PDB file of all heavy atoms in Angstrom:
ATOM      1  N   SER T 174       4.682   8.536  -3.489  1.00 94.00           N
ATOM      2  CA  SER T 174       3.745   9.435  -2.817  1.00 94.00           C
ATOM      3  C   SER T 174       3.948  10.863  -3.272  1.00 94.00           C
ATOM      4  O   SER T 174       5.057  11.265  -3.628  1.00 94.00           O
ATOM      5  CB  SER T 174       3.912   9.342  -1.301  1.00 94.00           C
ATOM      6  OG  SER T 174       5.188   9.826  -0.920  1.00 94.00           O
ATOM      7  N   ASP T 175       2.870  11.603  -3.266  1.00 92.00           N
ATOM      8  CA  ASP T 175       2.894  13.043  -3.508  1.00 92.00           C
ATOM      9  C   ASP T 175       2.299  13.675  -2.260  1.00 92.00           C
ATOM     10  O   ASP T 175       1.072  13.752  -2.116  1.00 92.00           O
ATOM     11  CB  ASP T 175       2.080  13.382  -4.759  1.00 92.00           C
ATOM     12  CG  ASP T 175       2.166  14.850  -5.124  1.00 92.00           C
ATOM     13  OD1 ASP T 175       2.417  15.680  -4.224  1.00 92.00           O
ATOM     14  OD2 ASP T 175       1.948  15.181  -6.299  1.00 92.00           O
ATOM     15  N   ASN T 176       3.162  14.076  -1.341  1.00 88.00           N
ATOM     16  CA  ASN T 176       2.670  14.597  -0.071  1.00 88.00           C
ATOM     17  C   ASN T 176       1.846  15.868  -0.241  1.00 88.00           C
ATOM     18  O   ASN T 176       0.916  16.111   0.532  1.00 88.00           O
ATOM     19  CB  ASN T 176       3.842  14.840   0.880  1.00 88.00           C
ATOM     20  CG  ASN T 176       4.431  13.551   1.400  1.00 88.00           C
ATOM     21  OD1 ASN T 176       4.152  12.472   0.899  1.00 88.00           O
ATOM     22  ND2 ASN T 176       5.288  13.659   2.413  1.00 88.00           N
ATOM     23  N   ALA T 177       2.182  16.657  -1.215  1.00 90.00           N
ATOM     24  CA  ALA T 177       1.433  17.897  -1.443  1.00 90.00           C
ATOM     25  C   ALA T 177      -0.021  17.587  -1.802  1.00 90.00           C
ATOM     26  O   ALA T 177      -0.926  18.351  -1.466  1.00 90.00           O
ATOM     27  CB  ALA T 177       2.096  18.713  -2.539  1.00 90.00           C
ATOM     28  N   LYS T 178      -0.227  16.483  -2.488  1.00 92.00           N
ATOM     29  CA  LYS T 178      -1.581  16.090  -2.874  1.00 92.00           C
ATOM     30  C   LYS T 178      -2.173  15.066  -1.919  1.00 92.00           C
ATOM     31  O   LYS T 178      -3.316  14.631  -2.121  1.00 92.00           O
ATOM     32  CB  LYS T 178      -1.567  15.508  -4.296  1.00 92.00           C
ATOM     33  CG  LYS T 178      -1.177  16.503  -5.375  1.00 92.00           C
ATOM     34  CD  LYS T 178      -1.240  15.856  -6.750  1.00 92.00           C
ATOM     35  CE  LYS T 178      -0.890  16.859  -7.846  1.00 92.00           C
ATOM     36  NZ  LYS T 178      -0.933  16.244  -9.198  1.00 92.00           N
ATOM     37  N   ASN T 179      -1.411  14.665  -0.914  1.00 91.00           N
ATOM     38  CA  ASN T 179      -1.865  13.619   0.010  1.00 91.00           C
ATOM     39  C   ASN T 179      -2.343  12.391  -0.758  1.00 91.00           C
ATOM     40  O   ASN T 179      -3.393  11.817  -0.456  1.00 91.00           O
ATOM     41  CB  ASN T 179      -2.972  14.145   0.924  1.00 91.00           C
ATOM     42  CG  ASN T 179      -2.581  14.098   2.384  1.00 91.00           C
ATOM     43  OD1 ASN T 179      -1.404  14.115   2.737  1.00 91.00           O
ATOM     44  ND2 ASN T 179      -3.580  14.039   3.252  1.00 91.00           N
ATOM     45  N   THR T 180      -1.545  12.000  -1.719  1.00 94.00           N
ATOM     46  CA  THR T 180      -1.913  10.902  -2.610  1.00 94.00           C
ATOM     47  C   THR T 180      -0.743   9.937  -2.748  1.00 94.00           C
ATOM     48  O   THR T 180       0.415  10.353  -2.825  1.00 94.00           O
ATOM     49  CB  THR T 180      -2.301  11.441  -4.002  1.00 94.00           C
ATOM     50  OG1 THR T 180      -3.414  12.328  -3.859  1.00 94.00           O
ATOM     51  CG2 THR T 180      -2.693  10.305  -4.939  1.00 94.00           C
ATOM     52  N   VAL T 181      -1.080   8.667  -2.760  1.00 96.00           N
ATOM     53  CA  VAL T 181      -0.083   7.613  -2.954  1.00 96.00           C
ATOM     54  C   VAL T 181      -0.465   6.831  -4.196  1.00 96.00           C
ATOM     55  O   VAL T 181      -1.650   6.594  -4.453  1.00 96.00           O
ATOM     56  CB  VAL T 181      -0.014   6.698  -1.714  1.00 96.00           C
ATOM     57  CG1 VAL T 181       0.846   5.481  -1.984  1.00 96.00           C
ATOM     58  CG2 VAL T 181       0.533   7.469  -0.525  1.00 96.00           C
ATOM     59  N   TYR T 182       0.544   6.416  -4.943  1.00 98.00           N
ATOM     60  CA  TYR T 182       0.323   5.700  -6.187  1.00 98.00           C
ATOM     61  C   TYR T 182       0.953   4.314  -6.117  1.00 98.00           C
ATOM     62  O   TYR T 182       1.948   4.099  -5.429  1.00 98.00           O
ATOM     63  CB  TYR T 182       0.939   6.474  -7.363  1.00 98.00           C
ATOM     64  CG  TYR T 182       0.465   7.894  -7.457  1.00 98.00           C
ATOM     65  CD1 TYR T 182       1.219   8.936  -6.911  1.00 98.00           C
ATOM     66  CD2 TYR T 182      -0.739   8.209  -8.085  1.00 98.00           C
ATOM     67  CE1 TYR T 182       0.790  10.254  -6.993  1.00 98.00           C
ATOM     68  CE2 TYR T 182      -1.176   9.520  -8.169  1.00 98.00           C
ATOM     69  CZ  TYR T 182      -0.406  10.539  -7.616  1.00 98.00           C
ATOM     70  OH  TYR T 182      -0.847  11.832  -7.693  1.00 98.00           O
ATOM     71  N   LEU T 183       0.375   3.403  -6.868  1.00 98.00           N
ATOM     72  CA  LEU T 183       0.971   2.085  -7.044  1.00 98.00           C
ATOM     73  C   LEU T 183       1.041   1.821  -8.546  1.00 98.00           C
ATOM     74  O   LEU T 183       0.010   1.598  -9.186  1.00 98.00           O
ATOM     75  CB  LEU T 183       0.154   0.992  -6.350  1.00 98.00           C
ATOM     76  CG  LEU T 183       0.785  -0.400  -6.392  1.00 98.00           C
ATOM     77  CD1 LEU T 183       2.068  -0.436  -5.539  1.00 98.00           C
ATOM     78  CD2 LEU T 183      -0.202  -1.459  -5.892  1.00 98.00           C
ATOM     79  N   GLN T 184       2.247   1.888  -9.076  1.00 98.00           N
ATOM     80  CA  GLN T 184       2.459   1.578 -10.489  1.00 98.00           C
ATOM     81  C   GLN T 184       2.685   0.085 -10.613  1.00 98.00           C
ATOM     82  O   GLN T 184       3.614  -0.453 -10.002  1.00 98.00           O
ATOM     83  CB  GLN T 184       3.664   2.346 -11.031  1.00 98.00           C
ATOM     84  CG  GLN T 184       3.999   2.050 -12.474  1.00 98.00           C
ATOM     85  CD  GLN T 184       2.932   2.521 -13.442  1.00 98.00           C
ATOM     86  OE1 GLN T 184       2.411   3.626 -13.312  1.00 98.00           O
ATOM     87  NE2 GLN T 184       2.594   1.686 -14.424  1.00 98.00           N
ATOM     88  N   MET T 185       1.844  -0.568 -11.388  1.00 98.00           N
ATOM     89  CA  MET T 185       1.923  -2.014 -11.537  1.00 98.00           C
ATOM     90  C   MET T 185       2.239  -2.358 -12.986  1.00 98.00           C
ATOM     91  O   MET T 185       1.458  -2.026 -13.885  1.00 98.00           O
ATOM     92  CB  MET T 185       0.596  -2.650 -11.111  1.00 98.00           C
ATOM     93  CG  MET T 185       0.172  -2.286  -9.704  1.00 98.00           C
ATOM     94  SD  MET T 185      -1.276  -3.215  -9.139  1.00 98.00           S
ATOM     95  CE  MET T 185      -2.516  -2.623 -10.265  1.00 98.00           C
ATOM     96  N   ASN T 186       3.376  -2.961 -13.190  1.00 98.00           N
ATOM     97  CA  ASN T 186       3.808  -3.377 -14.524  1.00 98.00           C
ATOM     98  C   ASN T 186       3.907  -4.896 -14.594  1.00 98.00           C
ATOM     99  O   ASN T 186       3.910  -5.573 -13.566  1.00 98.00           O
ATOM    100  CB  ASN T 186       5.168  -2.763 -14.857  1.00 98.00           C
ATOM    101  CG  ASN T 186       5.159  -1.246 -14.852  1.00 98.00           C
ATOM    102  OD1 ASN T 186       4.155  -0.620 -15.207  1.00 98.00           O
ATOM    103  ND2 ASN T 186       6.263  -0.643 -14.440  1.00 98.00           N
ATOM    104  N   SER T 187       3.993  -5.394 -15.819  1.00 98.00           N
ATOM    105  CA  SER T 187       4.129  -6.850 -16.033  1.00 98.00           C
ATOM    106  C   SER T 187       3.096  -7.629 -15.224  1.00 98.00           C
ATOM    107  O   SER T 187       3.429  -8.611 -14.543  1.00 98.00           O
ATOM    108  CB  SER T 187       5.550  -7.305 -15.658  1.00 98.00           C
ATOM    109  OG  SER T 187       6.506  -6.597 -16.417  1.00 98.00           O
ATOM    110  N   LEU T 188       1.874  -7.196 -15.307  1.00 98.00           N
ATOM    111  CA  LEU T 188       0.811  -7.817 -14.511  1.00 98.00           C
ATOM    112  C   LEU T 188       0.569  -9.260 -14.923  1.00 98.00           C
ATOM    113  O   LEU T 188       0.682  -9.612 -16.108  1.00 98.00           O
ATOM    114  CB  LEU T 188      -0.469  -6.989 -14.624  1.00 98.00           C
ATOM    115  CG  LEU T 188      -0.465  -5.710 -13.776  1.00 98.00           C
ATOM    116  CD1 LEU T 188      -1.516  -4.734 -14.260  1.00 98.00           C
ATOM    117  CD2 LEU T 188      -0.677  -6.058 -12.314  1.00 98.00           C
ATOM    118  N   LYS T 189       0.239 -10.066 -13.929  1.00 98.00           N
ATOM    119  CA  LYS T 189      -0.017 -11.495 -14.122  1.00 98.00           C
ATOM    120  C   LYS T 189      -1.447 -11.819 -13.692  1.00 98.00           C
ATOM    121  O   LYS T 189      -2.022 -11.098 -12.870  1.00 98.00           O
ATOM    122  CB  LYS T 189       0.962 -12.313 -13.269  1.00 98.00           C
ATOM    123  CG  LYS T 189       2.425 -11.992 -13.494  1.00 98.00           C
ATOM    124  CD  LYS T 189       3.283 -12.757 -12.493  1.00 98.00           C
ATOM    125  CE  LYS T 189       4.753 -12.421 -12.651  1.00 98.00           C
ATOM    126  NZ  LYS T 189       5.595 -13.157 -11.662  1.00 98.00           N
ATOM    127  N   PRO T 190      -2.002 -12.887 -14.181  1.00 97.00           N
ATOM    128  CA  PRO T 190      -3.351 -13.269 -13.744  1.00 97.00           C
ATOM    129  C   PRO T 190      -3.466 -13.405 -12.229  1.00 97.00           C
ATOM    130  O   PRO T 190      -4.511 -13.090 -11.650  1.00 97.00           O
ATOM    131  CB  PRO T 190      -3.577 -14.610 -14.448  1.00 97.00           C
ATOM    132  CG  PRO T 190      -2.749 -14.514 -15.686  1.00 97.00           C
ATOM    133  CD  PRO T 190      -1.519 -13.749 -15.281  1.00 97.00           C
ATOM    134  N   GLU T 191      -2.393 -13.839 -11.582  1.00 97.00           N
ATOM    135  CA  GLU T 191      -2.441 -13.988 -10.122  1.00 97.00           C
ATOM    136  C   GLU T 191      -2.448 -12.658  -9.379  1.00 97.00           C
ATOM    137  O   GLU T 191      -2.596 -12.626  -8.160  1.00 97.00           O
ATOM    138  CB  GLU T 191      -1.279 -14.858  -9.615  1.00 97.00           C
ATOM    139  CG  GLU T 191       0.094 -14.448 -10.118  1.00 97.00           C
ATOM    140  CD  GLU T 191       0.528 -15.245 -11.328  1.00 97.00           C
ATOM    141  OE1 GLU T 191      -0.312 -15.472 -12.250  1.00 97.00           O
ATOM    142  OE2 GLU T 191       1.712 -15.644 -11.372  1.00 97.00           O
ATOM    143  N   ASP T 192      -2.284 -11.562 -10.088  1.00 98.00           N
ATOM    144  CA  ASP T 192      -2.419 -10.238  -9.467  1.00 98.00           C
ATOM    145  C   ASP T 192      -3.889  -9.805  -9.379  1.00 98.00           C
ATOM    146  O   ASP T 192      -4.196  -8.776  -8.779  1.00 98.00           O
ATOM    147  CB  ASP T 192      -1.651  -9.185 -10.270  1.00 98.00           C
ATOM    148  CG  ASP T 192      -0.143  -9.413 -10.229  1.00 98.00           C
ATOM    149  OD1 ASP T 192       0.373  -9.733  -9.142  1.00 98.00           O
ATOM    150  OD2 ASP T 192       0.500  -9.285 -11.291  1.00 98.00           O
ATOM    151  N   THR T 193      -4.764 -10.580  -9.971  1.00 98.00           N
ATOM    152  CA  THR T 193      -6.191 -10.262  -9.923  1.00 98.00           C
ATOM    153  C   THR T 193      -6.687 -10.268  -8.485  1.00 98.00           C
ATOM    154  O   THR T 193      -6.515 -11.245  -7.758  1.00 98.00           O
ATOM    155  CB  THR T 193      -6.993 -11.275 -10.759  1.00 98.00           C
ATOM    156  OG1 THR T 193      -6.612 -11.146 -12.129  1.00 98.00           O
ATOM    157  CG2 THR T 193      -8.485 -11.039 -10.612  1.00 98.00           C
ATOM    158  N   ALA T 194      -7.274  -9.155  -8.078  1.00 98.00           N
ATOM    159  CA  ALA T 194      -7.742  -9.000  -6.695  1.00 98.00           C
ATOM    160  C   ALA T 194      -8.429  -7.652  -6.553  1.00 98.00           C
ATOM    161  O   ALA T 194      -8.356  -6.806  -7.454  1.00 98.00           O
ATOM    162  CB  ALA T 194      -6.576  -9.079  -5.718  1.00 98.00           C
ATOM    163  N   VAL T 195      -9.063  -7.466  -5.408  1.00 98.00           N
ATOM    164  CA  VAL T 195      -9.493  -6.126  -5.025  1.00 98.00           C
ATOM    165  C   VAL T 195      -8.321  -5.492  -4.281  1.00 98.00           C
ATOM    166  O   VAL T 195      -7.777  -6.088  -3.347  1.00 98.00           O
ATOM    167  CB  VAL T 195     -10.745  -6.152  -4.127  1.00 98.00           C
ATOM    168  CG1 VAL T 195     -11.111  -4.728  -3.709  1.00 98.00           C
ATOM    169  CG2 VAL T 195     -11.901  -6.816  -4.862  1.00 98.00           C
ATOM    170  N   TYR T 196      -7.943  -4.318  -4.720  1.00 98.00           N
ATOM    171  CA  TYR T 196      -6.817  -3.620  -4.108  1.00 98.00           C
ATOM    172  C   TYR T 196      -7.348  -2.527  -3.186  1.00 98.00           C
ATOM    173  O   TYR T 196      -8.171  -1.699  -3.591  1.00 98.00           O
ATOM    174  CB  TYR T 196      -5.914  -3.014  -5.188  1.00 98.00           C
ATOM    175  CG  TYR T 196      -5.037  -4.052  -5.843  1.00 98.00           C
ATOM    176  CD1 TYR T 196      -5.590  -5.029  -6.679  1.00 98.00           C
ATOM    177  CD2 TYR T 196      -3.658  -4.089  -5.610  1.00 98.00           C
ATOM    178  CE1 TYR T 196      -4.789  -6.002  -7.260  1.00 98.00           C
ATOM    179  CE2 TYR T 196      -2.855  -5.061  -6.188  1.00 98.00           C
ATOM    180  CZ  TYR T 196      -3.425  -6.017  -7.011  1.00 98.00           C
ATOM    181  OH  TYR T 196      -2.629  -6.973  -7.581  1.00 98.00           O
ATOM    182  N   TYR T 197      -6.854  -2.553  -1.968  1.00 98.00           N
ATOM    183  CA  TYR T 197      -7.283  -1.604  -0.944  1.00 98.00           C
ATOM    184  C   TYR T 197      -6.119  -0.710  -0.530  1.00 98.00           C
ATOM    185  O   TYR T 197      -4.976  -1.165  -0.442  1.00 98.00           O
ATOM    186  CB  TYR T 197      -7.780  -2.334   0.299  1.00 98.00           C
ATOM    187  CG  TYR T 197      -8.978  -3.213   0.085  1.00 98.00           C
ATOM    188  CD1 TYR T 197      -8.847  -4.552  -0.265  1.00 98.00           C
ATOM    189  CD2 TYR T 197     -10.274  -2.707   0.248  1.00 98.00           C
ATOM    190  CE1 TYR T 197      -9.945  -5.365  -0.454  1.00 98.00           C
ATOM    191  CE2 TYR T 197     -11.384  -3.510   0.063  1.00 98.00           C
ATOM    192  CZ  TYR T 197     -11.209  -4.832  -0.291  1.00 98.00           C
ATOM    193  OH  TYR T 197     -12.313  -5.635  -0.480  1.00 98.00           O
ATOM    194  N   CYS T 198      -6.470   0.525  -0.233  1.00 98.00           N
ATOM    195  CA  CYS T 198      -5.510   1.459   0.330  1.00 98.00           C
ATOM    196  C   CYS T 198      -5.865   1.660   1.800  1.00 98.00           C
ATOM    197  O   CYS T 198      -7.050   1.610   2.179  1.00 98.00           O
ATOM    198  CB  CYS T 198      -5.596   2.789  -0.423  1.00 98.00           C
ATOM    199  SG  CYS T 198      -4.378   4.005   0.082  1.00 98.00           S
ATOM    200  N   ALA T 199      -4.850   1.880   2.619  1.00 97.00           N
ATOM    201  CA  ALA T 199      -5.103   2.045   4.052  1.00 97.00           C
ATOM    202  C   ALA T 199      -4.109   3.023   4.653  1.00 97.00           C
ATOM    203  O   ALA T 199      -3.010   3.212   4.122  1.00 97.00           O
ATOM    204  CB  ALA T 199      -5.002   0.697   4.761  1.00 97.00           C
ATOM    205  N   THR T 200      -4.499   3.612   5.767  1.00 96.00           N
ATOM    206  CA  THR T 200      -3.636   4.565   6.460  1.00 96.00           C
ATOM    207  C   THR T 200      -3.271   4.040   7.843  1.00 96.00           C
ATOM    208  O   THR T 200      -3.994   3.241   8.450  1.00 96.00           O
ATOM    209  CB  THR T 200      -4.315   5.933   6.623  1.00 96.00           C
ATOM    210  OG1 THR T 200      -5.434   5.787   7.516  1.00 96.00           O
ATOM    211  CG2 THR T 200      -4.797   6.481   5.306  1.00 96.00           C
ATOM    212  N   ARG T 201      -2.166   4.514   8.318  1.00 94.00           N
ATOM    213  CA  ARG T 201      -1.736   4.168   9.671  1.00 94.00           C
ATOM    214  C   ARG T 201      -0.979   5.357  10.226  1.00 94.00           C
ATOM    215  O   ARG T 201      -0.105   5.908   9.559  1.00 94.00           O
ATOM    216  CB  ARG T 201      -0.830   2.939   9.636  1.00 94.00           C
ATOM    217  CG  ARG T 201      -0.222   2.531  10.974  1.00 94.00           C
ATOM    218  CD  ARG T 201       0.426   1.168  10.825  1.00 94.00           C
ATOM    219  NE  ARG T 201       1.249   0.801  11.942  1.00 94.00           N
ATOM    220  CZ  ARG T 201       1.918  -0.348  12.011  1.00 94.00           C
ATOM    221  NH1 ARG T 201       1.862  -1.210  11.031  1.00 94.00           N
ATOM    222  NH2 ARG T 201       2.646  -0.628  13.065  1.00 94.00           N
ATOM    223  N   GLU T 202      -1.307   5.744  11.462  1.00 90.00           N
ATOM    224  CA  GLU T 202      -0.675   6.923  12.031  1.00 90.00           C
ATOM    225  C   GLU T 202       0.431   6.564  13.021  1.00 90.00           C
ATOM    226  O   GLU T 202       1.547   7.055  12.912  1.00 90.00           O
ATOM    227  CB  GLU T 202      -1.722   7.815  12.710  1.00 90.00           C
ATOM    228  CG  GLU T 202      -1.166   9.156  13.136  1.00 90.00           C
ATOM    229  CD  GLU T 202      -2.263  10.140  13.484  1.00 90.00           C
ATOM    230  OE1 GLU T 202      -3.441   9.739  13.534  1.00 90.00           O
ATOM    231  OE2 GLU T 202      -1.944  11.322  13.720  1.00 90.00           O
ATOM    232  N   LEU T 203       0.136   5.691  13.984  1.00 82.00           N
ATOM    233  CA  LEU T 203       1.145   5.325  14.974  1.00 82.00           C
ATOM    234  C   LEU T 203       2.129   4.319  14.387  1.00 82.00           C
ATOM    235  O   LEU T 203       1.741   3.432  13.646  1.00 82.00           O
ATOM    236  CB  LEU T 203       0.478   4.744  16.213  1.00 82.00           C
ATOM    237  CG  LEU T 203      -0.348   5.719  17.049  1.00 82.00           C
ATOM    238  CD1 LEU T 203      -0.980   4.989  18.217  1.00 82.00           C
ATOM    239  CD2 LEU T 203       0.497   6.887  17.521  1.00 82.00           C
ATOM    240  N   ASN T 204       3.386   4.447  14.747  1.00 79.00           N
ATOM    241  CA  ASN T 204       4.424   3.526  14.294  1.00 79.00           C
ATOM    242  C   ASN T 204       4.357   3.343  12.777  1.00 79.00           C
ATOM    243  O   ASN T 204       4.051   2.255  12.291  1.00 79.00           O
ATOM    244  CB  ASN T 204       4.288   2.165  14.977  1.00 79.00           C
ATOM    245  CG  ASN T 204       5.451   1.236  14.643  1.00 79.00           C
ATOM    246  OD1 ASN T 204       6.513   1.686  14.215  1.00 79.00           O
ATOM    247  ND2 ASN T 204       5.238  -0.057  14.800  1.00 79.00           N
ATOM    248  N   PRO T 205       4.617   4.406  12.035  1.00 86.00           N
ATOM    249  CA  PRO T 205       4.443   4.347  10.570  1.00 86.00           C
ATOM    250  C   PRO T 205       5.573   3.608   9.873  1.00 86.00           C
ATOM    251  O   PRO T 205       6.109   4.087   8.879  1.00 86.00           O
ATOM    252  CB  PRO T 205       4.406   5.826  10.180  1.00 86.00           C
ATOM    253  CG  PRO T 205       5.270   6.496  11.190  1.00 86.00           C
ATOM    254  CD  PRO T 205       5.023   5.750  12.480  1.00 86.00           C
ATOM    255  N   ASP T 206       5.926   2.436  10.363  1.00 93.00           N
ATOM    256  CA  ASP T 206       6.942   1.612   9.711  1.00 93.00           C
ATOM    257  C   ASP T 206       6.273   0.842   8.580  1.00 93.00           C
ATOM    258  O   ASP T 206       5.358   0.045   8.826  1.00 93.00           O
ATOM    259  CB  ASP T 206       7.556   0.656  10.720  1.00 93.00           C
ATOM    260  CG  ASP T 206       8.478  -0.330  10.048  1.00 93.00           C
ATOM    261  OD1 ASP T 206       9.532   0.110   9.552  1.00 93.00           O
ATOM    262  OD2 ASP T 206       8.144  -1.522   9.985  1.00 93.00           O
ATOM    263  N   PRO T 207       6.708   1.047   7.347  1.00 94.00           N
ATOM    264  CA  PRO T 207       5.992   0.442   6.216  1.00 94.00           C
ATOM    265  C   PRO T 207       6.040  -1.079   6.210  1.00 94.00           C
ATOM    266  O   PRO T 207       5.060  -1.732   5.837  1.00 94.00           O
ATOM    267  CB  PRO T 207       6.685   1.043   4.991  1.00 94.00           C
ATOM    268  CG  PRO T 207       7.999   1.537   5.479  1.00 94.00           C
ATOM    269  CD  PRO T 207       7.808   1.915   6.895  1.00 94.00           C
ATOM    270  N   ARG T 208       7.163  -1.661   6.632  1.00 94.00           N
ATOM    271  CA  ARG T 208       7.249  -3.122   6.630  1.00 94.00           C
ATOM    272  C   ARG T 208       6.263  -3.704   7.643  1.00 94.00           C
ATOM    273  O   ARG T 208       5.530  -4.649   7.351  1.00 94.00           O
ATOM    274  CB  ARG T 208       8.673  -3.575   6.960  1.00 94.00           C
ATOM    275  CG  ARG T 208       8.864  -5.084   6.922  1.00 94.00           C
ATOM    276  CD  ARG T 208      10.312  -5.468   7.154  1.00 94.00           C
ATOM    277  NE  ARG T 208      10.512  -6.902   7.010  1.00 94.00           N
ATOM    278  CZ  ARG T 208      10.324  -7.762   7.989  1.00 94.00           C
ATOM    279  NH1 ARG T 208       9.924  -7.349   9.164  1.00 94.00           N
ATOM    280  NH2 ARG T 208      10.526  -9.060   7.786  1.00 94.00           N
ATOM    281  N   SER T 209       6.233  -3.092   8.822  1.00 93.00           N
ATOM    282  CA  SER T 209       5.297  -3.550   9.847  1.00 93.00           C
ATOM    283  C   SER T 209       3.857  -3.399   9.370  1.00 93.00           C
ATOM    284  O   SER T 209       3.023  -4.289   9.564  1.00 93.00           O
ATOM    285  CB  SER T 209       5.512  -2.748  11.129  1.00 93.00           C
ATOM    286  OG  SER T 209       4.468  -2.982  12.058  1.00 93.00           O
ATOM    287  N   MET T 210       3.575  -2.287   8.738  1.00 94.00           N
ATOM    288  CA  MET T 210       2.211  -2.037   8.277  1.00 94.00           C
ATOM    289  C   MET T 210       1.775  -3.095   7.282  1.00 94.00           C
ATOM    290  O   MET T 210       0.680  -3.643   7.385  1.00 94.00           O
ATOM    291  CB  MET T 210       2.125  -0.657   7.629  1.00 94.00           C
ATOM    292  CG  MET T 210       0.733  -0.288   7.185  1.00 94.00           C
ATOM    293  SD  MET T 210       0.710   1.329   6.393  1.00 94.00           S
ATOM    294  CE  MET T 210      -1.046   1.567   6.177  1.00 94.00           C
ATOM    295  N   CYS T 211       2.623  -3.387   6.315  1.00 95.00           N
ATOM    296  CA  CYS T 211       2.255  -4.345   5.278  1.00 95.00           C
ATOM    297  C   CYS T 211       2.146  -5.770   5.820  1.00 95.00           C
ATOM    298  O   CYS T 211       1.267  -6.527   5.416  1.00 95.00           O
ATOM    299  CB  CYS T 211       3.281  -4.307   4.142  1.00 95.00           C
ATOM    300  SG  CYS T 211       2.812  -3.244   2.748  1.00 95.00           S
ATOM    301  N   ILE T 212       3.027  -6.132   6.719  1.00 93.00           N
ATOM    302  CA  ILE T 212       3.050  -7.514   7.204  1.00 93.00           C
ATOM    303  C   ILE T 212       1.952  -7.777   8.224  1.00 93.00           C
ATOM    304  O   ILE T 212       1.269  -8.799   8.195  1.00 93.00           O
ATOM    305  CB  ILE T 212       4.441  -7.861   7.771  1.00 93.00           C
ATOM    306  CG1 ILE T 212       5.466  -7.908   6.629  1.00 93.00           C
ATOM    307  CG2 ILE T 212       4.403  -9.188   8.512  1.00 93.00           C
ATOM    308  CD1 ILE T 212       6.875  -8.161   7.081  1.00 93.00           C
ATOM    309  N   THR T 213       1.771  -6.845   9.156  1.00 91.00           N
ATOM    310  CA  THR T 213       0.791  -7.064  10.212  1.00 91.00           C
ATOM    311  C   THR T 213      -0.625  -6.671   9.795  1.00 91.00           C
ATOM    312  O   THR T 213      -1.590  -7.085  10.437  1.00 91.00           O
ATOM    313  CB  THR T 213       1.146  -6.272  11.472  1.00 91.00           C
ATOM    314  OG1 THR T 213       1.035  -4.861  11.188  1.00 91.00           O
ATOM    315  CG2 THR T 213       2.546  -6.590  11.941  1.00 91.00           C
ATOM    316  N   ARG T 214      -0.733  -5.873   8.741  1.00 93.00           N
ATOM    317  CA  ARG T 214      -2.033  -5.338   8.317  1.00 93.00           C
ATOM    318  C   ARG T 214      -2.696  -4.530   9.435  1.00 93.00           C
ATOM    319  O   ARG T 214      -3.916  -4.416   9.488  1.00 93.00           O
ATOM    320  CB  ARG T 214      -2.961  -6.462   7.841  1.00 93.00           C
ATOM    321  CG  ARG T 214      -2.500  -7.113   6.543  1.00 93.00           C
ATOM    322  CD  ARG T 214      -3.259  -8.374   6.272  1.00 93.00           C
ATOM    323  NE  ARG T 214      -2.884  -9.418   7.213  1.00 93.00           N
ATOM    324  CZ  ARG T 214      -3.516 -10.575   7.335  1.00 93.00           C
ATOM    325  NH1 ARG T 214      -4.556 -10.832   6.582  1.00 93.00           N
ATOM    326  NH2 ARG T 214      -3.102 -11.466   8.194  1.00 93.00           N
ATOM    327  N   TRP T 215      -1.889  -3.956  10.304  1.00 92.00           N
ATOM    328  CA  TRP T 215      -2.403  -3.082  11.366  1.00 92.00           C
ATOM    329  C   TRP T 215      -2.577  -1.708  10.751  1.00 92.00           C
ATOM    330  O   TRP T 215      -1.608  -1.010  10.483  1.00 92.00           O
ATOM    331  CB  TRP T 215      -1.417  -3.063  12.543  1.00 92.00           C
ATOM    332  CG  TRP T 215      -1.711  -2.010  13.553  1.00 92.00           C
ATOM    333  CD1 TRP T 215      -2.924  -1.468  13.865  1.00 92.00           C
ATOM    334  CD2 TRP T 215      -0.771  -1.349  14.392  1.00 92.00           C
ATOM    335  NE1 TRP T 215      -2.777  -0.517  14.846  1.00 92.00           N
ATOM    336  CE2 TRP T 215      -1.484  -0.417  15.187  1.00 92.00           C
ATOM    337  CE3 TRP T 215       0.613  -1.444  14.547  1.00 92.00           C
ATOM    338  CZ2 TRP T 215      -0.846   0.392  16.116  1.00 92.00           C
ATOM    339  CZ3 TRP T 215       1.237  -0.626  15.478  1.00 92.00           C
ATOM    340  CH2 TRP T 215       0.511   0.273  16.242  1.00 92.00           C
TER     341      TRP T 215
END
């Protein structure tokens, strides 16, 4: 993340065919625990 730019990056290397998808970015304000956010999709 670059907080000054309010921007987050995802560097993806060694890509595989199974990585093919639509990639979405999302925000969460309350309980900003990253593991919870990714697992619950809240």
